[in-house]
Amino acid sequence: MNNTQSVEPLFKSIELGNLKLSNRIVMAPMTRQFSPDGVPGANVAAYYRRRAENGVGLIVTEGTVINHPDASNQANVPFFYSEAALNGWANVVSEVHAAGGKIIPQIWHMGAKGQVNDYSEAEMADIVQAFAQAAAEAKRLGFDGIELHGAHGYLIDQFFWEKTNQRTDRYGGSMLARTRFAVEIIEACRQAVGPEFPIVLRLSQWKSTEYTAKLAETPELLEQFLAQLVDAGVDIFHCSTRRFWEPEFEGSELNFAGWTKKLTGKPTITVGSVGLDGDFTSLFTEGKGANQVGVDELIQKIEREEFDLVAIGRALLADPEWAAKIRDGRTDELVPFTAEALKTLH
């Protein structure tokens, strides 16, 4: 079997409600800080278009900031409000669609520096509406859906996690109570975009400060947790892990995306060091980066329908032609994920 045949499952089209994709490859959201004053320019549009031209089925943008004063503490992260920023995003959408791709914005609030106890219910209501407004703007601009960032210790996830949510009101306490804020955001976004517009929710058990953390220690608890989010209106779950090949619970080979699909029946996206031969954080901790590798194990999991889509992060950041090279069997041409490669991001 040649390489083109072996990767065929990765390049099968799929329909997930109104989201019709040419293949299973997703560009994972990656913060780049290339948008001065929060405005994505022509260079940002060209960056996303290159990935669409080279075979990425669905692009999830870098995290974009909702209209709330504390939503970001980083410079040059793109806004998802203001006329200038939204006009910039309209151009991004136009360029990606012209290249035959699909694109959704990841909308986020980076969250509190510690615990979420200091947010008043009035401020939380403002944040909910800011998310809903961003969702409405995404639909108006012609995006193909939205992704809400509920992972990695950002605001929504801070409400999910017991260590950062010590509230004693209706937004804290039990695991299900800690989903209430997310449920309100999802419901408000659903109301803003209508019943057919795709809503993706990115989740992670791990936190940037604690890689072994789990929101739900067992499949039974995970099922209860996810059920609230499904009922609120999530269409697709984007299940973030550090290494996609690692099982989520003992006694099963299913990863986080596999368990989430099994428990909810909803489509899932897997992510985590896809296409890399090691943990990408070694680039930053040891300066060595990671080599690009094949995707045999990934293909096997797709064929078993453990999950539906595959998000590629650092491998695609280093090499905009990653998808096309994998499709065409040009794996010897893949660009390694190294500090040198990142100096010439394009």
Side-chain angles (χ1 to χ4, degrees):
M1 179 178 291
N2 64 41
N3 195 47
T4 302
Q5 290 173 318
S6 69
V7 300
E8 185 179 350
L10 198 54
F11 291 90
K12 285 184 177 177
S13 62
I14 188 171
E15 294 188 15
L16 305 174
N18 276 7
L19 191 60
K20 298 175 174 60
L21 304 177
S22 61
N23 60 52
R24 309 304 178 91
I25 296 177
V26 177
M27 181 178 183
M30 290 172 286
T31 296
R32 299 168 61 244
Q33 297 180 280
F34 281 9
S35 298
D37 300 318
V39 179
N43 60 320
V44 175
Y47 165 80
Y48 288 119
R49 176 168 182 148
R50 271 189 290 275
R51 275 74 187 172
E53 287 173 337
N54 282 284
V56 172
L58 175 65
I59 290 168
V60 184
T61 74
E62 61 213 279
T64 68
V65 180
I66 63 169
N67 190 10
H68 182 261
D70 296 327
S72 174
N73 59 10
Q74 295 181 349
N76 303 322
V77 170
F79 298 162
F80 214 78
Y81 61 92
S82 86
E83 183 177 2
L86 293 173
N87 285 342
W89 283 119
N91 184 46
V92 171
V93 172
S94 177
E95 290 292 318
V96 169
H97 284 171
K102 299 291 178 71
I103 184 169
I104 65 176
Q106 184 187 75
I107 55 179
W108 70 350
H109 187 301
M110 293 185 68
K113 293 180 174 63
Q115 298 186 342
V116 296
N117 302 8
D118 295 334
Y119 283 99
S120 68
E121 291 200 18
E123 187 172 17
M124 289 162 63
D126 289 342
I127 293 170
V128 168
Q129 288 310 306
F131 271 103
Q133 181 60 39
E137 296 288 13
K139 185 176 182 181
R140 179 181 68 83
L141 294 175
F143 279 93
D144 300 291
I146 60 166
E147 175 169 292
L148 302 172
H149 198 343
H152 307 164
Y154 294 117
L155 184 63
I156 293 173
D157 192 33
Q158 288 176 337
F159 274 86
F160 286 150
W161 198 28
E162 190 173 14
K163 283 194 177 182
T164 47
N165 183 351
Q166 298 289 314
R167 298 178 73 102
T168 57
D169 60 7
R170 61 200 177 104
Y171 294 97
S174 71
M175 183 180 70
L176 298 187
R178 296 196 304 272
T179 69
R180 186 184 302 273
F181 183 55
V183 163
E184 290 181 359
I185 290 172
I186 297 161
E187 289 177 342
C189 289
R190 175 57 69 204
Q191 186 172 1
V193 300
E196 305 299 328
F197 195 69
I199 295 179
V200 182
L201 177 64
R202 195 174 211 207
L203 294 174
S204 69
Q205 296 253 51
W206 66 272
K207 314 296 165 229
S208 58
T209 56
E210 192 168 328
Y211 290 126
T212 59
K214 284 192 184 296
L215 295 172
E217 294 283 353
T218 66
E220 292 75 21
L221 288 173
L222 183 60
E223 184 172 24
Q224 294 173 34
F225 172 76
L226 294 169
Q228 313 297 310
L229 307 172
V230 170
D231 289 346
V234 173
D235 296 302
I236 301 168
F237 287 99
H238 188 173
C239 302
S240 180
T241 54
R242 295 179 74 208
R243 305 175 181 93
F244 81 89
W245 57 86
E246 293 184 344
E248 190 62 25
F249 301 111
E250 289 185 11
S252 167
E253 292 186 3
L254 291 177
N255 69 3
F256 188 28
W259 271 108
T260 298
K261 181 175 182 177
K262 176 180 173 134
L263 294 172
T264 66
K266 292 291 185 180
T268 60
I269 306 169
T270 197
V271 67
S273 299
V274 174
L276 302 180
D277 67 352
D279 185 348
F280 69 83
T281 56
S282 64
L283 172 67
F284 308 107
T285 59
E286 303 170 30
K288 65 181 184 181
N291 292 315
Q292 300 266 19
V293 296
V295 290
D296 291 348
E297 186 173 1
L298 184 70
I299 297 295
Q300 291 166 12
K301 288 180 174 293
I302 292 174
E303 288 184 314
R304 292 197 294 264
E305 299 184 346
E306 292 181 18
F307 40 73
D308 303 276
L309 302 172
V310 178
I312 315 297
R314 273 72 187 179
L316 196 52
L317 187 64
D319 191 343
E321 298 179 38
W322 186 91
K325 289 175 180 177
I326 291 290
R327 180 194 64 210
D328 299 339
R330 295 184 286 131
T331 53
D332 58 329
E333 298 178 21
L334 291 170
V335 178
F337 176 69
T338 63
E340 196 61 35
L342 298 187
K343 288 178 184 176
T344 56
L345 272 181
H346 56 289

